[in-house]
Amino acid sequence: MSTLDPGSPPTGELPFFVYGTLLPGEPNHDLFLRGRTSGERAAVLPRALLYDGPGYPYAIDGHGHVHGTLLTAAPGVYGELLALLDHLEEYLGPGHPRNLYERVVREVELPGEEPVATRAWVYLAAAAVTRSLRTSGSVIAEGRWVTGRPPGGPRTP
């Protein structure tokens, strides 16, 4: 899966849609995002499903929606933030066989009286992980990872 459709305009500095350990209040938010964002807003990823993972979730394309946060990089740190998130998500490049996630561009919805759609980077489960999730994974109801975990459930170290 490529990060852009052929013929799409350049992405520029797109915001990031996060839905797991990078959410506000979760362990990786402070580790990776503190001081690196200028905006954080509730958002929804349509046409996606959320699956439970080993201490973190996976989103895949599907007939549902995933709740998360849209992050805007602070001025001057976009490249640093992109590299940090790629490393955290084990993304080595488009279609790389060792990717845990693929970084792709998707439309996300910003809720409100008049919902707005915007393009953002999203880390979706890589192809091999997606195949495994579809056959034996556990879907998180309502697409909300924080509320989908059992009380006292695993957290990313």
Side-chain angles (χ1 to χ4, degrees):
M1 177 182 303
S2 68
T3 57
L4 287 175
D5 295 330
S8 291
T11 59
E13 292 187 0
L14 291 176
F16 299 89
F17 175 80
V18 299
Y19 53 85
T21 65
L22 290 164
L23 288 168
E26 292 299 322
N28 284 330
H29 185 272
D30 282 349
L31 288 173
F32 290 89
L33 302 175
R34 182 182 297 226
R36 294 185 178 102
T37 65
S38 63
E40 299 183 4
R41 246 182 108 174
V44 176
L45 176 64
R47 297 172 298 285
L49 293 172
L50 193 62
Y51 280 84
D52 202 12
Y56 48 86
Y58 295 102
I60 68 169
D61 289 325
H63 300 294
H65 54 273
V66 174
H67 294 270
T69 299
L70 188 70
L71 308 170
T72 303
V77 300
Y78 187 83
E80 173 191 357
L81 183 57
L82 182 64
L84 281 169
L85 295 180
D86 282 353
H87 178 73
L88 174 68
E89 306 296 3
E90 297 182 39
Y91 171 72
L92 303 172
H96 194 285
R98 292 188 328 196
N99 283 348
L100 184 61
Y101 291 89
E102 289 286 339
R103 177 170 34 92
V104 297
V105 175
R106 290 288 188 269
E107 288 237 331
V108 298
E109 298 170 353
L110 302 169
E113 282 187 34
E114 294 185 31
V116 176
T118 190
R119 290 165 37 115
W121 287 121
V122 179
Y123 291 89
L124 297 180
V129 176
T130 296
R131 283 190 296 277
S132 175
L133 291 169
R134 287 190 191 278
T135 59
S136 61
S138 178
V139 174
I140 297 174
E142 303 298 318
R144 292 182 193 272
W145 184 67
V146 175
T147 58
R149 290 181 304 179
R155 293 180 70 100
T156 301

